[in-house]
Amino acid sequence: MWHGWRRELDWLALYLSAVLTAGWLLNQVWAALAVFVLGYLLRHLFSLHGLLKQLSSGSGDYPPSGSGVWDEIYYQFHQLRRRSKRRKKRLVRMVERFRNAFAVLPDAIVILGEDDEIQWYNAAAENLLGLKKSDIGLLIANLVRSPKFVEFLQTGDGGAHTVNIRSPNDPQLMLEIRLVPYDKDMRLVMAQDVSQLRFMERVRSDFVANVSHELRTPLTVLKGYLETLADADDPALQRYGKALTSMEEQAGRMQRLIDDLLSLTRLESTTQNHQRLKQVDVAFLLREIYDDVARMGTEHAAVALHLSSNAALWGDEQELRSAFSNLLVNAIKYTPATGQVDLVWRDEEGGAVRLDVRDTGEGIAEQHIPRLTERFYRVDSAVRGKVGVGLGLAIVKHVLLRHDAELKIASQVGQGSCFSCCFPAKRVVRD
Ligand code: ADP
């Protein structure tokens, strides 16, 4: 930059001194100075005109050479143009590479504008969602018309949840849809073909259901004989008394395991039976569960029932009974006889309701909490002889999922636990 200025100043000094000398010789110093200033001004105006012409023409040609500082300006301007051209080319190549990568992805990708109109999609979207070139600019809800998908579009939540729908192009295909917001008003629809995965899940759950079912009959026979032997008054059997009791206990445990496995498989593999849905009077249901516990005697923690809401739920009574009983039985099981268990049915903000099952029992260490609802996940219990099968909370989680509800667990070792079933307002019925 300084180079240009140096040349400009050298030029100015040379011509100014020549003009002033000529003016002095002709005795016209002021006139010569005025002519010089005018010429100098015209030269700059001419160069400025050249630069403006270059800028507005947008041509990348090297501009006509000026002199002095203008040479430097033209040079810098040309460099700037070349750099921006190179950057633009790089960007275009990058966008092209991204597009190519998206195009060969096996998952469908659709870019939606602020009104959920289709702006771009990849090749897989043609197969999985049945989109065509002429669909660009149309609303996606008019093309993928599954009610589940349309509802998801309206409530879609930052990519955290997914929804499963059948492909509009091929009903054999099961798609898992995810919505990811980006930029200010844009959204990305991602659809993955999960047909194979769902098929494998069905095979697995059918297998578990079949095995459990087949085991049920022989186990009932064994248990029956064991009971008969344990009750028999035969002195020859007396030395086997301990063994028989232990066998009976283990057979009972196996039976509970099979029953729980069958319930869980049914909950996982079937959609909710709408004929069984009805208005469930939760206060009444909780009172029944509470009375059942009271009948168990008093050798366990004190149980109290607090009904501060009269809300009913739209749901499956049998499923809700099993979930609530599981939570209460756990609370009693993991709380010493001197402790306290509270069942609290209460209203939440916005019309939601919640059941808290609180206990003052042994509590659960933080690292176990996220895994408690996995099948067969058990924490070593300090309470001796309280061995469960580890399926209870998995059943609770599935029942709640089927009721659009959520299980929240808060616990502190040595202080106790609180298992909360949080039901959304849409499931609540109020008289
Ligand atoms: P289980 O048949 O073993 O009780 P669950 O699925 O019902 O199976 O519970 C899983 C594990 O969660 C239990 O093994 C226990 O360690 C822990 N748990 C459940 N409820 C409570 C509770 N109220 N207090 C402490 N631990 C609990």
Side-chain angles (χ1 to χ4, degrees):
M1 190 179 88
W2 294 117
H3 191 62
W5 278 117
R6 265 294 289 279
R7 268 193 307 167
E8 179 72 20
L9 291 176
D10 285 353
W11 186 93
L12 194 65
L14 183 70
Y15 283 93
L16 187 61
S17 46
V19 168
L20 284 180
T21 315
W24 180 69
L25 288 175
L26 297 172
N27 214 8
Q28 293 285 341
V29 175
W30 289 112
L33 192 63
V35 168
F36 177 79
V37 170
L38 195 69
Y40 191 65
L41 196 69
L42 281 175
R43 174 177 160 260
H44 279 300
L45 281 177
F46 180 74
S47 299
L48 207 60
H49 173 71
L51 180 65
L52 260 179
K53 225 164 93 181
Q54 273 282 310
L55 280 172
S56 51
S57 74
S59 104
D61 299 341
Y62 195 75
S65 83
S67 56
V69 78
W70 283 102
D71 236 1
E72 185 69 25
I73 291 175
Y74 282 142
Y75 174 73
Q76 292 296 345
F77 163 70
H78 182 67
Q79 290 296 95
L80 203 71
R81 271 231 160 124
R82 274 182 47 185
R83 273 202 300 272
S84 97
K85 233 175 168 178
R86 273 204 301 268
R87 201 174 307 137
K88 207 161 140 190
K89 262 192 194 155
R90 249 198 335 263
L91 274 176
V92 169
R93 269 205 305 273
M94 212 149 90
V95 170
E96 203 57 33
R97 271 208 300 272
F98 273 119
R99 279 195 169 206
N100 290 345
F102 272 145
V104 295
L105 269 183
D107 299 343
I109 309 269
V110 185
I111 294 179
L112 299 183
E114 60 180 304
D115 295 322
D116 286 343
E117 78 282 4
I118 299 173
Q119 294 198 343
W120 182 86
Y121 63 81
N122 67 349
E126 293 182 10
N127 257 339
L128 299 180
L129 298 170
L131 299 182
K132 308 184 289 296
K133 286 268 169 296
S134 54
D135 295 335
I136 297 279
L138 301 184
L139 298 185
I140 193 162
N142 291 343
L143 301 164
V144 181
R145 307 180 80 120
S146 149
K148 254 175 153 183
F149 176 73
V150 177
E151 191 192 333
F152 190 56
L153 264 186
Q154 282 151 10
T155 58
D157 54 350
H161 290 121
T162 55
V163 70
N164 286 340
I165 60 165
R166 296 214 168 269
S167 158
N169 201 31
D170 177 359
Q172 300 290 329
L173 298 183
M174 184 53 98
L175 303 180
E176 185 176 88
I177 309 269
R178 194 180 286 277
L179 267 179
V180 188
Y182 74 102
D183 261 4
K184 224 170 100 214
D185 298 310
M186 309 284 282
R187 291 205 285 180
L188 210 65
V189 176
M190 295 157 87
Q192 189 184 10
D193 177 5
V194 288
S195 324
Q196 200 60 25
L197 203 71
R198 292 287 169 273
F199 174 72
M200 297 303 290
E201 276 172 8
R202 213 171 41 248
V203 170
R204 179 186 58 86
S205 77
D206 284 355
F207 173 76
V208 174
N210 288 339
V211 171
S212 312
H213 203 75
E214 291 303 321
L215 280 174
R216 222 178 190 176
T217 321
L219 197 63
T220 315
V221 175
L222 273 177
K223 213 168 161 255
Y225 278 121
L226 282 172
E227 271 167 23
T228 318
L229 287 175
D231 291 346
D233 245 356
D234 190 340
L237 285 174
Q238 256 170 19
R239 59 192 169 121
Y240 300 112
K242 230 169 133 189
L244 285 174
T245 317
S246 166
M247 281 160 83
E248 215 186 327
E249 260 172 35
Q250 292 306 319
R253 189 166 135 72
M254 272 173 85
Q255 206 160 34
R256 279 200 306 282
L257 181 70
I258 287 170
D259 289 345
D260 281 359
L261 264 179
L262 279 172
S263 318
L264 193 57
T265 312
R266 190 181 52 76
L267 288 170
E268 275 182 340
S269 57
T270 58
T271 50
Q272 209 163 34
N273 183 349
H274 285 269
Q275 276 163 2
R276 285 169 50 135
L277 292 187
K278 61 174 190 163
Q279 185 172 329
V280 181
D281 182 347
V282 178
F284 185 76
L285 177 67
L286 289 174
R287 240 182 250 120
E288 281 186 342
I289 295 173
Y290 171 80
D291 289 344
D292 287 345
V293 169
R295 262 180 244 121
M296 279 164 53
T298 50
E299 285 169 14
H300 55 71
V303 182
L305 178 63
H306 313 268
L307 300 170
S308 66
S309 166
N310 58 4
L313 284 177
W314 187 250
D316 184 318
E317 184 171 343
Q318 204 179 317
E319 287 181 9
L320 290 173
R321 180 189 294 274
S322 120
F324 297 165
S325 307
N326 258 314
L327 291 178
L328 181 57
V329 168
N330 272 352
I332 293 173
K333 192 158 69 173
Y334 298 105
T335 304
T338 48
Q340 169 77 31
V341 173
D342 290 293
L343 276 176
V344 186
W345 179 237
R346 60 186 169 102
D347 287 319
E348 285 271 86
E349 262 174 40
V353 275
R354 145 185 203 147
L355 171 71
D356 287 339
V357 183
R358 288 193 211 122
D359 65 59
T360 58
E362 58 190 79
I364 307 155
E366 206 181 325
Q367 75 268 24
H368 297 297
I369 294 180
R371 302 197 55 192
L372 287 183
T373 55
E374 285 174 24
R375 305 142 176 256
F376 299 113
Y377 191 84
R378 292 199 311 252
V379 185
D380 279 342
S381 175
V383 188
R384 278 197 296 132
K386 304 286 173 178
V387 202
V389 292
L391 290 174
L393 290 181
I395 293 178
V396 173
K397 180 182 140 188
H398 273 90
V399 168
L400 294 187
L401 269 181
R402 285 156 78 91
H403 288 81
D404 307 309
E406 202 188 343
L407 177 66
K408 290 188 182 159
I409 307 171
S411 187
Q412 254 187 326
V413 178
Q415 305 279 311
S417 315
C418 180
F419 287 75
S420 307
C421 309
C422 305
F423 294 89
K426 65 175 174 180
R427 282 281 178 167
V428 176
V429 189
R430 291 178 199 275
D431 283 335

